């Protein structure tokens, strides 16, 4: 069946398309079922787009009108008769041809720059946001909960809480159980200090100079003593020292559960306090029987004790300035108690007891005890008997010559051990004392030694070979050194003295003449070897090493002054050690005060002192000892120091001292040093009196008798027999 469309004639079979039949006219497309009959609405032009469009239009100029083009003639359909065209109208002859309309130029017109054109281009301005229209939401409606959700949430919260408890339990029981156990133990236990017993101090023979005795410290629990503080203070105040009634009441009514009321209370005193408290409680209990319970008076409770040993000095003032004292806390304050505190004090122990909520010890509960370690005892080189005698004898001399103080030092020649170190004034550690009493002048006080220094000067010159017993000097009454005049202590003209005569007469001028032969650096070295300007090695607290000019480039006046004992300072132990060097054959023995250390088990450890060293030769020491023997002879300066049956070597000393108030020379120090037996020395004794103001001033007159008495006692106590040697005839003049 042939589909014919319009007026199209039927095609002939077998004819070529497009040859005999005209082509088919294109038909307009039919709208499909999917095409929408509505046009897509365009987006409304915004203010920003409109402004941008207007700006571009102003820049490009006016838009030309579009020229209408002649419509193209449609081809006539095939088979249709062509339409006749109307004849064109001819223009009248008398009319001029029509002018063509001018074509408007499309070039951009220049835009006048106005005030608005110079402003910021409008396209860069942010456009205001369109206001959103508020949408009114419908009100929320209460929705009923669902039981299943609530149950799941409840079980979730419970599971989380239980997991926290489980984690904490694992932490306590598995991860770190010890720390929490220790914290609980600390909370429920109370520590108690177990004081270590302090080591004792004894002399060379074991005589006790300082020991620790049993005593207690009284403590209080303010939570228990507060209601009865006044009654307890009335009992304690008269019996314990170092406190008052008001202080006791304040301590027993304060805060906390523990406080100290008194230290180092003797057991006898504590027993008396307990007896009075017991009697007072019995009276209170009797009175409470007739009173209602709410009106009953409280009992006297809340006082406790702990071990607090007290330091005792059985021999009182003997060697008190050497031994020293301890404070209320049991630690050393002065002397050897301070210097050897670490060894003497030991190490305290500690006990831990379980207590209840009120702080009371729980019977049969667990407790730990760390035992205290007792301190080490110290054995000194001092002899108590000789120390006592020396203290009494120097006290007599100080009082006799009205001196400010005095010191006696006794030294064993061969060992360097200090047999006595006596000072006056002194004090009794068992009685009240002041801080001024605690110093030890034998080591802490320095002064210019005077003519005793000549022993070291002569020994140095003899060792250098510059003098011997045959040396003779023409000694004038004075000598000038660097425009300063130095004289002897007595007026005289030129004298012919031997070197022994210079020592025996204690001539300053003769000593300077002899010392000028030695070079100053060599002389300074000898002085250091004798121990001047150097510590003694005793490590005694507060010790002064004296003063010696630094270096060895001294002026001549300094060397001259030092040669006869001025211009340097030393303490009494240093002077004794220097003289002991000559007595010991020229070998310096470091002084020694501590002999042994003895621990709690009785083990003895000797104290190691510094090594001795030779200063001068034995020959030089012997020559100087012979010169010193002439001092105690009848023609010497100290015949008062001679001892019957013994050959004694000695040397006097008289030197000016600086007055600390004025800073100038205004006081004097008189001294005497010697050793016996001179031919086989056993002991060296040195005596010094500071600022004697009564009697004739002089080392032989004031210090000689003290030396004689103390040396005689030492020789007799240690049974040193006389050697039988006679005083040698040594020429003093020529």
């Amino acid at each position: 069946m042939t589909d014919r469309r319009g007026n199209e004639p039927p095609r002939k079979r077998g004819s070529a398309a497009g040859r005999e039949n005209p082509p088919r006219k294109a038909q307009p497309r039919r709208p499909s079922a999917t095409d929408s009959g509505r046009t897509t609405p365009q987006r409304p032009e915004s203010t920003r787009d409109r402004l941008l469009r207007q700006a571009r239009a102003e820049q490009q100029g006016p838009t030309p009108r579009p020229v209408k083009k002649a419509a193209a003639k449609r081809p006539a359909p095939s088979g249709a008769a062509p339409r006749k065209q109307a004849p064109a109208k001819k223009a009248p002859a008398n009319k001029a041809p029509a002018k063509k309309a001018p074509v408007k130029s499309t070039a951009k017109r220049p835009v006048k720059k106005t005030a608005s054109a110079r402003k910021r281009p409008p396209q860069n301005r942010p456009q205001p946001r369109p206001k959103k229209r508020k949408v009114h939401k419908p009100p929320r409606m209460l929705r009923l909960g669902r039981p299943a959700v609530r149950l799941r949430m409840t079980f979730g919260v419970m599971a989380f809480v239980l997991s926290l408890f489980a984690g904490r339990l694992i932490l306590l029981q598995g991860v770190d159980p010890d720390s929490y156990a220790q914290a609980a133990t600390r909370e429920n236990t109370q520590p108690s200090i177990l004081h270590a017993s302090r080591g004792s101090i004894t002399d060379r023979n074991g005589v006790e100079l300082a020991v620790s005795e049993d005593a207690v410290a009284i403590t209080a629990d303010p939570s228990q003593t507060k209601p009865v503080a006044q009654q307890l203070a009335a009992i304690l105040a008269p019996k314990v020292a170092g406190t008052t009634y008001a202080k006791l009441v304040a301590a027993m009514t304060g805060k906390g559960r523990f406080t100290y009321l008194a230290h180092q209370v003797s057991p006898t005193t504590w027993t008396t306090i307990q007896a009075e408290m017991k009697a007072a409680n019995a009276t209170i209990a009797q009175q409470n029987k007739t009173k209602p319970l709410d009106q009953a008076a409280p009992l006297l409770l809340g006082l406790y004790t702990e071990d607090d040993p007290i330091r005792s000095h059985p021999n009182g003032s003997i060697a008190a300035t050497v031994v020293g004292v301890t404070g209320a806390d049991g630690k050393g304050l002065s002397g050897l108690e301070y210097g050897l505190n670490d060894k003497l004090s030991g190490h305290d122990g500690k006990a831990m007891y379980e207590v209840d909520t009120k702080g009371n010890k729980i019977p049969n509960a667990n407790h730990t005890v760390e035992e205290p370690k007792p301190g080490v005892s110290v054995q000194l080189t001092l002899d108590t008997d000789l120390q006592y005698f020396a203290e009494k004898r120097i006290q007599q001399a100080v009082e006799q010559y009205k001196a400010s103080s005095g010191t006696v030092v006794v030294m064993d020649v061969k060992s360097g051990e200090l047999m006595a170190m006596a000072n006056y004034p002194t004090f009794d550690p068992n009685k009240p004392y002041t801080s001024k009493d605690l110093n030890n002048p034998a080591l802490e006080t320095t002064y210019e030694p005077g003519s005793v220094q000549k022993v070291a000067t002569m020994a140095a010159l003899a060792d250098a070979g510059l003098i011997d017993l045959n040396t003779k000097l023409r000694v004038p009454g004075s000598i000038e050194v660097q425009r300063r005049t130095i004289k002897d202590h007595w007026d005289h003209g030129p004298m012919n003295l031997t070197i022994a005569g210079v020592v025996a007469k204690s001539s300053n001028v003769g000593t300077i003449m002899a010392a000028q032969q030695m070079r100053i650096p060599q002389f300074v070295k000898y002085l250091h070897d004798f121990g001047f300007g150097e510590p003694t090695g005793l490590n005694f607290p507060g010790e002064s090493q004296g003063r010696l000019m630094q270096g060895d480039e001294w002026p001549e006046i300094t060397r001259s002054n030092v040669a006869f004992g001025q211009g340097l300072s030393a303490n009494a132990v240093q002077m004794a050690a220097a003289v002991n060097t000559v007595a010991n054959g020229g070998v310096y023995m470091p002084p020694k005060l501590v002999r042994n250390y003895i621990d709690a088990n009785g083990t003895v450890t000797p104290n190691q002192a510094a090594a001795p060293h030779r200063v001068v030769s034995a020959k030089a020491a012997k020559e100087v000892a012979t010169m010193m023997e002439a001092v105690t002879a009848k023609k010497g300066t100290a015949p008062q120091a001679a001892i019957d049956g013994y050959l004694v070597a000695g040397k006097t000393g008289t030197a000016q001292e600086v007055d600390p108030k004025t800073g100038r020379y205004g006081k004097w120090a008189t001294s005497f040093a010697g050793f016996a037996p001179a031919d086989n020395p056993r002991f060296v004794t040195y005596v010094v009196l500071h600022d004697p103001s009564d009697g004739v001033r002089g080392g032989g007159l004031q210090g000689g008798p003290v030396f004689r008495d103390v040396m005689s006692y030492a020789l007799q106590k240690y049974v040193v027999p006389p050697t039988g040697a006679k005083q040698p005839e040594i020429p003093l003049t020529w």
Side-chain angles (χ1 to χ4, degrees), residues 375-395:
V376 176
S377 297
V378 178
Q379 184 182 28
L380 305 182
T381 61
L382 301 180
D383 184 298
T384 302
D385 296 335
L386 183 59
Q387 177 76 19
Y388 172 79
F389 184 86
E391 288 181 358
K392 292 300 180 183
R393 188 62 186 88
I394 195 63
Q395 178 182 356

Side-chain angles (χ1 to χ4, degrees), residues 158-176:
M158 293 177 61
F160 176 73
V161 173
L162 291 177
S163 65
L164 293 179
F165 282 106
R168 186 62 175 169
L169 183 62
I170 294 173
L171 180 64
L172 293 175
Q173 297 293 334
V175 178
D176 194 11

Side-chain angles (χ1 to χ4, degrees), residues 84 88 152 154 192 232 291 315 394 401 450 509 512 546 568 586 691 728:
K84 292 181 180 181
R152 284 197 294 269
T154 303
S192 178
L232 291 174
K291 297 179 180 180
N315 288 282
I394 195 63
Y401 301 112
V509 177
I512 293 173
L568 80 163
D691 195 27

